[in-house]
Amino acid sequence: MRAEEDLLTARHAVREATLRAGFGLVDQTRIVTAASELARNAYVHGGGGNLTLEIVQKGGRQGLKLVVSDQGPGIPDIEQAFTDGFTTGAGLGHGLGGARRLMDEFHVWSSPGRGTTVTAVRWNGRG
């Protein structure tokens, strides 16, 4: 994701992946919203980044795994970044925490000066 147009391309790719994974409309919207926020963060704060999508299996359930990474400045205090209202830009400060609430599993790795990687999974409850 190196340009504004790439964010729309990412949204479309995630939507298509949610369909392949068998998610209903509500979960499709949750996943696309979370992915959009993570992609935008990588673009705006990380200077661009990558999104990978993987349909995963666990205990007879299917899910979608998102990995968003960048080589930006990193997040100095991850817990603070999850706090609603905290922002380093012009946004409302609900992005990272909001994305975490929309997914079933959520992990952030970040190191100052070395970038950030977010891995998030949403499981399809219909098995």
Side-chain angles (χ1 to χ4, degrees), residues 79-111:
E79 285 309 310
Q80 183 181 36
F82 280 129
T83 304
D84 282 344
F86 176 79
T87 182
T88 58
L92 297 174
H94 297 296
L96 200 58
R100 178 171 67 172
R101 287 188 293 273
L102 292 169
M103 303 298 283
D104 295 318
E105 297 175 18
F106 199 89
H107 177 75
V108 179
W109 175 90
S110 189
S111 178

Side-chain angles (χ1 to χ4, degrees), residues 9-111:
T9 302
R11 284 180 63 91
H12 289 300
V14 172
R15 173 75 69 193
E16 178 60 33
T18 64
L19 291 171
R20 286 194 320 271
F23 284 98
L25 184 58
V26 172
D27 279 337
Q28 289 173 33
T29 303
R30 286 180 178 131
I31 296 165
V32 170
T33 300
S36 295
E37 187 58 44
L38 296 174
R40 179 161 292 288
N41 281 351
Y43 173 68
V44 171
H45 301 292
N50 297 304
L51 166 67
T52 60
L53 305 168
E54 179 184 0
I55 295 174
V56 292
Q57 305 283 329
K58 178 174 152 183
R61 295 168 71 194
Q62 192 161 256
L64 184 61
K65 178 179 174 180
L66 314 171
V67 180
V68 179
S69 61
D70 66 57
Q71 298 299 311
I75 302 171
D77 186 335
I78 292 172
E79 285 309 310
Q80 183 181 36
F82 280 129
T83 304
D84 282 344
F86 176 79
T87 182
T88 58
L92 297 174
H94 297 296
L96 200 58
R100 178 171 67 172
R101 287 188 293 273
L102 292 169
M103 303 298 283
D104 295 318
E105 297 175 18
F106 199 89
H107 177 75
V108 179
W109 175 90
S110 189
S111 178

